[in-house]
Amino acid sequence: MTTLELTGRPRVGVLGGGSWGTVLAHVAASAGNPVILWGRDPETAEAVNARRRNPRYLPDLELHPGITATTDLAHVGRDCGVILVVVPSHALRETLATLGDHLDGSHILIHAIKGIEPVTFKRMSQILLEETCCKKIGVLSGPNLAKEVAMGHPSATVIASGYQEVITAGTEILKSKTFRVYGNPDVIGTEIGGSLKNIMAIASGLADGLGFGDNTKALLLTRGLAEITRLGVGLGAEAPTFSGLSGLGDMMATCFSPLSRNYQVGNRLAKGESLEAVQADMRQVAEGVRTTQTVARYVRTHGIYMPITEGIYRILYEAIPPKEALAALLDVSRNPYEGDAGKRAARVP
Amino acid sequence: MQPTDSLPLATDPGPEPGAAPPGAIFTFNRDRDDIVSEVVAREVARMGGSVDALELSLNDAAYCEINRLEKAGKKQSPDLAFWRELHRTLGGKPLAEKEALFRTLATRYARDIVGNFDDKAYRLATRILPMGLSLILRPQGTSRRFVNLNSTLTERIRLQGHVSTLQALARKGTVILVPTHSSNLDSVVIGWAIYQMGLPPFTYGAGKNLFTNPILSYFMRNLGAYRVDRRLTHGLYKDVLKTYSTVLLERGYHSLFFPGGGRCRSGAIEQKLKLGLLGTGLSAYINNLQKQRPDPNVYIVPCTLNYPLVLEAATLIDDQLQQEGKSRYIIEDDEFAQASLVWRFIRQVLSMDVSVVIQVGEPLDPFGNRVGPDGLSYDKRGRVIDTRKYVELRGLPQHQHQRDQQYTKELGAAIADAYMRHNVILPSHLVAFTLFQTLKRNHPRLDLYKLLRLPDDAAGISLSEFYRTLEVLREELVMLADSDRIQISGVVRKGPAEAITANALRSLGMFHAVPPLRRADERVSAGDMKLLLFYQNRLTGYGLEALFAEEVRA
């Protein structure tokens, strides 16, 4: 008996009709599962059901007939034992507020969202725990450019959860000859790696846009990984997670690929466009832009040394010219451990 | 959350002594043999007649026991001979004999653990204890034979927080009370509080070493305490212990666990909890569902015990400061072993104008969700949760080891979080924190051990600086308390710094041979730095140290 059957509900739910949500629904359906794909947009649902297409995000992919699209969250809660949550991070709480009314403790929720909540600095799994009664929660993250997975290029991902049952369920529903799932108990490390690599993708796009070569890129990526690991371990993650698929792996895919939205943001900024202009004509959100702000603010108040993140933040939000910010990174006269970032004035006399 | 239903004990004296509240504990003696055989039967069943499982369990037990007895220098002990013989001959024995051996050992351990409950002892204790205490408390030179004990004890032991919820839940299911643990007096204080709340006595596991005192032993043994032999580290014993706890919970015995393990050495709020025994709550819940018992629910109620003064503080902090790995797990020769000292301590605490505060936290289910007075679990958005669904597979309640461990881990995190939020800051903690952190800031080059050996003339600050700093911290604490992240006592909330300091000096100056701090010549200085550390540790974990950060240098 499969884990999905054990939940007592025979379908897989996918929340979010963006490109990654649609591709995951396609993978799950191709593995033989009946899939319900939820999206906000009735036209997309209509197109999926009538023409097996998602014209907005993946016009070229013919979707598996096992997918049924819906705009009704109650439908997902009622019929799906395993639900993949792939809505944009800023829409998560709102979506769960409704879905939560239709969930119980037997549901398995696996999110595939990159991002950290601004101000609260909460990870997506923490939001799932806050907004629903579910405990069997996991995260799916890895070097997975949606279009490549859709084309059936060999790829792999990680599902992290404290519950073996969640990992097993996720592995079963996504089983395919070209897509492999690895399990990991380290939820924090998997989420932090997946979210913060978007900052490094912007950095990578910047370096390319400025015409720098591979030395610069290697510098940014390895030191970028080091600062992400430093933050992650401080939050309770295991260091080895960051050198795995969901850490280094994801970062390589995102930073080397011109397909990545975050890379494109960096690349166009380097060529002199403004952030507003870049964002205006991007159809999907570049999570890295928001993540940079969230992380930079957090590390400033908590005294964590993350110079690359700090540099990207200054380019994005303080209009520092990219070249200047990158140069500051290489300035050896600044001893990293004596920076004043994060130090707060004493309040006691 | 503010204490929603603080129970002023003075207006609610609880049941009349002798009028015992209802509870499974009162039929314990009748059920005892039955409980032991159920425990043994479950342990044997767990082995599933597997040669491998039996051999592994018995060999592990033999290995641990031989090691322990050899280290303890008990070369001539018959126990050692028994285990060596077992170890030598186990391999050749047929399955039936291995199973019989396992059964014998499980029975022996279960009998060793099992408690007793004597209704007479209960009535005696509930009558004698107040009389004895009122005799101690008789004011000098008054002709009254007894002072009004209820009013004295209620002033000294303040019970606040979710008291009425706890009372309601004790009638709807089985309650596991999980207090913080800092003193051997904890179980007495908690026992008194349980009695005052009108609840039947709770059963609890007490270290075997505590049973050496004959009077204490008499009461512990007859009031539902069972014995935990912490020297036994092998799986066979630990499993018997867990199953014993599970069976008691299933049968509706309210229980008391100290999930911090032993008494907290550092004086801080415990954050690393032991999950083994805690998990028996979930096991009992699932078993209850499988057996379709009418009141299957198990409620876990965190609470904090907040002493202005801790009897064993000196020994505990000494042990904490031993280099890692050298600290003793079981302390047998502490202040508690000296009856006269315990006596003096109780007498002094009771004669002071400060109180021990018991803060009852919000009850939780075995998954770490909040439980309301109606006995229902709620998620963080206020939706009612059907907790059965967490353990159902294809609609049937099932145990699943890895999943259940993870649930228990989340419960542990919820308890640790509740401890932080229900920690009640008393003047002695705040005053100790203020002085210790200031000294630490003033001597940035000293590590902890050097700081503890600070010479007397360097270990003080001016009274005015002390008050100013304390006031900043007090304001910060009021903010934390108002946002539900900590609790503060009335004196701390009200201030001013002078009153808080005076209050703290009175309680801290009373019992300890060298007080943690003292005031003289417009200065506040450390007396015993280690004790100062112990009391200030209660305020760690809230980020308050950051208020002492160095000024940003341009």
mmCIF file of all heavy atoms in Angstrom, chain B residues 495-519:
data_model
loop_
_atom_site.group_PDB
_atom_site.id
_atom_site.type_symbol
_atom_site.label_atom_id
_atom_site.label_comp_id
_atom_site.label_asym_id
_atom_site.label_seq_id
_atom_site.Cartn_x
_atom_site.Cartn_y
_atom_site.Cartn_z
ATOM 1 N N GLY B 495 8.256 47.901 40.385
ATOM 2 C CA GLY B 495 9.434 48.703 40.697
ATOM 3 C C GLY B 495 9.238 49.434 42.005
ATOM 4 O O GLY B 495 8.351 49.056 42.775
ATOM 5 N N PRO B 496 9.977 50.476 42.312
ATOM 6 C CA PRO B 496 11.170 50.904 41.600
ATOM 7 C C PRO B 496 12.369 49.995 41.917
ATOM 8 O O PRO B 496 12.243 49.071 42.716
ATOM 9 C CB PRO B 496 11.394 52.307 42.146
ATOM 10 C CG PRO B 496 10.853 52.240 43.541
ATOM 11 C CD PRO B 496 9.683 51.303 43.473
ATOM 12 N N ALA B 497 13.497 50.322 41.316
ATOM 13 C CA ALA B 497 14.700 49.513 41.479
ATOM 14 C C ALA B 497 15.060 49.307 42.948
ATOM 15 O O ALA B 497 15.493 48.234 43.350
ATOM 16 C CB ALA B 497 15.855 50.172 40.730
ATOM 17 N N GLU B 498 14.859 50.356 43.750
ATOM 18 C CA GLU B 498 15.204 50.257 45.171
ATOM 19 C C GLU B 498 14.411 49.155 45.857
ATOM 20 O O GLU B 498 14.958 48.364 46.640
ATOM 21 C CB GLU B 498 14.926 51.589 45.887
ATOM 22 C CG GLU B 498 15.882 52.729 45.528
ATOM 23 C CD GLU B 498 15.528 53.404 44.197
ATOM 24 O OE1 GLU B 498 14.601 52.938 43.498
ATOM 25 O OE2 GLU B 498 16.201 54.399 43.841
ATOM 26 N N ALA B 499 13.103 49.088 45.561
ATOM 27 C CA ALA B 499 12.247 48.096 46.214
ATOM 28 C C ALA B 499 12.599 46.688 45.756
ATOM 29 O O ALA B 499 12.641 45.745 46.549
ATOM 30 C CB ALA B 499 10.780 48.395 45.892
ATOM 31 N N ILE B 500 12.900 46.561 44.459
ATOM 32 C CA ILE B 500 13.263 45.251 43.919
ATOM 33 C C ILE B 500 14.547 44.763 44.581
ATOM 34 O O ILE B 500 14.665 43.620 44.997
ATOM 35 C CB ILE B 500 13.442 45.331 42.386
ATOM 36 C CG1 ILE B 500 12.102 45.677 41.739
ATOM 37 C CG2 ILE B 500 14.007 44.046 41.825
ATOM 38 C CD1 ILE B 500 12.195 46.015 40.257
ATOM 39 N N THR B 501 15.508 45.675 44.685
ATOM 40 C CA THR B 501 16.785 45.309 45.272
ATOM 41 C C THR B 501 16.618 44.910 46.742
ATOM 42 O O THR B 501 17.193 43.914 47.191
ATOM 43 C CB THR B 501 17.775 46.489 45.145
ATOM 44 O OG1 THR B 501 17.770 46.922 43.784
ATOM 45 C CG2 THR B 501 19.162 46.091 45.561
ATOM 46 N N ALA B 502 15.842 45.680 47.459
ATOM 47 C CA ALA B 502 15.634 45.367 48.875
ATOM 48 C C ALA B 502 15.005 43.987 49.030
ATOM 49 O O ALA B 502 15.447 43.174 49.861
ATOM 50 C CB ALA B 502 14.738 46.437 49.516
ATOM 51 N N ASN B 503 14.026 43.713 48.198
ATOM 52 C CA ASN B 503 13.349 42.422 48.236
ATOM 53 C C ASN B 503 14.335 41.285 47.959
ATOM 54 O O ASN B 503 14.380 40.279 48.679
ATOM 55 C CB ASN B 503 12.216 42.433 47.198
ATOM 56 C CG ASN B 503 11.419 41.157 47.180
ATOM 57 O OD1 ASN B 503 11.975 40.075 46.999
ATOM 58 N ND2 ASN B 503 10.111 41.263 47.373
ATOM 59 N N ALA B 504 15.155 41.473 46.924
ATOM 60 C CA ALA B 504 16.109 40.427 46.546
ATOM 61 C C ALA B 504 17.152 40.210 47.639
ATOM 62 O O ALA B 504 17.522 39.078 47.945
ATOM 63 C CB ALA B 504 16.788 40.794 45.235
ATOM 64 N N LEU B 505 17.624 41.303 48.221
ATOM 65 C CA LEU B 505 18.653 41.172 49.252
ATOM 66 C C LEU B 505 18.099 40.405 50.456
ATOM 67 O O LEU B 505 18.815 39.626 51.083
ATOM 68 C CB LEU B 505 19.160 42.548 49.685
ATOM 69 C CG LEU B 505 20.096 43.227 48.678
ATOM 70 C CD1 LEU B 505 20.340 44.677 49.049
ATOM 71 C CD2 LEU B 505 21.412 42.470 48.565
ATOM 72 N N ARG B 506 16.831 40.652 50.746
ATOM 73 C CA ARG B 506 16.231 39.922 51.866
ATOM 74 C C ARG B 506 16.199 38.419 51.597
ATOM 75 O O ARG B 506 16.598 37.620 52.433
ATOM 76 C CB ARG B 506 14.798 40.423 52.114
ATOM 77 C CG ARG B 506 14.711 41.561 53.112
ATOM 78 C CD ARG B 506 13.322 41.659 53.726
ATOM 79 N NE ARG B 506 12.257 41.828 52.751
ATOM 80 C CZ ARG B 506 11.981 42.973 52.119
ATOM 81 N NH1 ARG B 506 12.692 44.070 52.371
ATOM 82 N NH2 ARG B 506 10.998 43.047 51.259
ATOM 83 N N SER B 507 15.745 38.029 50.398
ATOM 84 C CA SER B 507 15.650 36.583 50.174
ATOM 85 C C SER B 507 17.008 35.944 49.947
ATOM 86 O O SER B 507 17.312 34.893 50.514
ATOM 87 C CB SER B 507 14.695 36.268 49.020
ATOM 88 O OG SER B 507 14.971 37.054 47.899
ATOM 89 N N LEU B 508 17.855 36.580 49.160
ATOM 90 C CA LEU B 508 19.154 35.966 48.872
ATOM 91 C C LEU B 508 20.084 36.010 50.079
ATOM 92 O O LEU B 508 20.978 35.189 50.217
ATOM 93 C CB LEU B 508 19.816 36.668 47.674
ATOM 94 C CG LEU B 508 19.150 36.450 46.319
ATOM 95 C CD1 LEU B 508 19.885 37.227 45.243
ATOM 96 C CD2 LEU B 508 19.116 34.969 45.965
ATOM 97 N N GLY B 509 19.858 37.002 50.935
ATOM 98 C CA GLY B 509 20.769 37.162 52.065
ATOM 99 C C GLY B 509 20.462 36.198 53.199
ATOM 100 O O GLY B 509 21.177 36.140 54.197
ATOM 101 N N MET B 510 19.423 35.440 53.044
ATOM 102 C CA MET B 510 18.909 34.713 54.179
ATOM 103 C C MET B 510 19.570 33.368 54.424
ATOM 104 O O MET B 510 20.038 33.077 55.505
ATOM 105 C CB MET B 510 17.432 34.462 53.908
ATOM 106 C CG MET B 510 16.699 34.068 55.122
ATOM 107 S SD MET B 510 15.079 34.784 54.990
ATOM 108 C CE MET B 510 14.832 35.268 56.655
ATOM 109 N N PHE B 511 19.619 32.542 53.416
ATOM 110 C CA PHE B 511 19.968 31.153 53.647
ATOM 111 C C PHE B 511 21.426 30.833 53.340
ATOM 112 O O PHE B 511 22.079 30.086 54.049
ATOM 113 C CB PHE B 511 19.050 30.270 52.806
ATOM 114 C CG PHE B 511 19.420 28.822 52.828
ATOM 115 C CD1 PHE B 511 19.152 28.052 53.953
ATOM 116 C CD2 PHE B 511 20.047 28.229 51.745
ATOM 117 C CE1 PHE B 511 19.501 26.712 53.984
ATOM 118 C CE2 PHE B 511 20.394 26.898 51.782
ATOM 119 C CZ PHE B 511 20.121 26.137 52.897
ATOM 120 N N HIS B 512 21.940 31.402 52.266
ATOM 121 C CA HIS B 512 23.283 31.030 51.829
ATOM 122 C C HIS B 512 24.338 31.544 52.807
ATOM 123 O O HIS B 512 24.240 32.648 53.317
ATOM 124 C CB HIS B 512 23.556 31.584 50.439
ATOM 125 C CG HIS B 512 22.652 31.002 49.388
ATOM 126 N ND1 HIS B 512 22.620 29.664 49.099
ATOM 127 C CD2 HIS B 512 21.730 31.577 48.580
ATOM 128 C CE1 HIS B 512 21.722 29.435 48.159
ATOM 129 N NE2 HIS B 512 21.162 30.577 47.828
ATOM 130 N N ALA B 513 25.340 30.699 53.041
ATOM 131 C CA ALA B 513 26.392 31.053 53.985
ATOM 132 C C ALA B 513 27.044 32.373 53.565
ATOM 133 O O ALA B 513 27.194 33.292 54.371
ATOM 134 C CB ALA B 513 27.430 29.939 54.044
ATOM 135 N N VAL B 514 27.448 32.454 52.311
ATOM 136 C CA VAL B 514 27.893 33.729 51.751
ATOM 137 C C VAL B 514 26.818 34.134 50.749
ATOM 138 O O VAL B 514 26.568 33.407 49.792
ATOM 139 C CB VAL B 514 29.248 33.580 51.022
ATOM 140 C CG1 VAL B 514 29.666 34.919 50.430
ATOM 141 C CG2 VAL B 514 30.298 33.045 51.966
ATOM 142 N N PRO B 515 26.164 35.253 50.940
ATOM 143 C CA PRO B 515 25.087 35.620 50.023
ATOM 144 C C PRO B 515 25.645 35.947 48.638
ATOM 145 O O PRO B 515 26.788 36.391 48.525
ATOM 146 C CB PRO B 515 24.468 36.866 50.664
ATOM 147 C CG PRO B 515 25.521 37.401 51.554
ATOM 148 C CD PRO B 515 26.362 36.255 52.003
ATOM 149 N N PRO B 516 24.857 35.725 47.599
ATOM 150 C CA PRO B 516 25.328 36.005 46.238
ATOM 151 C C PRO B 516 25.714 37.472 46.041
ATOM 152 O O PRO B 516 26.622 37.782 45.291
ATOM 153 C CB PRO B 516 24.115 35.676 45.364
ATOM 154 C CG PRO B 516 23.239 34.826 46.199
ATOM 155 C CD PRO B 516 23.506 35.159 47.621
ATOM 156 N N LEU B 517 25.011 38.375 46.698
ATOM 157 C CA LEU B 517 25.407 39.776 46.585
ATOM 158 C C LEU B 517 25.035 40.538 47.855
ATOM 159 O O LEU B 517 24.204 40.091 48.635
ATOM 160 C CB LEU B 517 24.813 40.438 45.328
ATOM 161 C CG LEU B 517 23.363 40.917 45.338
ATOM 162 C CD1 LEU B 517 23.093 41.714 44.071
ATOM 163 C CD2 LEU B 517 22.385 39.765 45.433
ATOM 164 N N ARG B 518 25.690 41.670 48.041
ATOM 165 C CA ARG B 518 25.378 42.472 49.215
ATOM 166 C C ARG B 518 25.502 43.952 48.890
ATOM 167 O O ARG B 518 26.115 44.341 47.892
ATOM 168 C CB ARG B 518 26.279 42.099 50.388
ATOM 169 C CG ARG B 518 27.727 41.948 50.024
ATOM 170 C CD ARG B 518 28.470 41.279 51.171
ATOM 171 N NE ARG B 518 29.692 40.678 50.676
ATOM 172 C CZ ARG B 518 30.250 39.586 51.187
ATOM 173 N NH1 ARG B 518 29.691 38.978 52.211
ATOM 174 N NH2 ARG B 518 31.368 39.111 50.699
ATOM 175 N N ARG B 519 24.917 44.747 49.778
ATOM 176 C CA ARG B 519 24.936 46.185 49.587
ATOM 177 C C ARG B 519 25.621 46.806 50.786
ATOM 178 O O ARG B 519 25.298 46.494 51.929
ATOM 179 C CB ARG B 519 23.505 46.711 49.475
ATOM 180 C CG ARG B 519 23.404 48.200 49.267
ATOM 181 C CD ARG B 519 21.975 48.625 49.095
ATOM 182 N NE ARG B 519 21.162 48.220 50.250
ATOM 183 C CZ ARG B 519 19.840 48.281 50.296
ATOM 184 N NH1 ARG B 519 19.162 48.718 49.268
ATOM 185 N NH2 ARG B 519 19.181 47.921 51.366
#
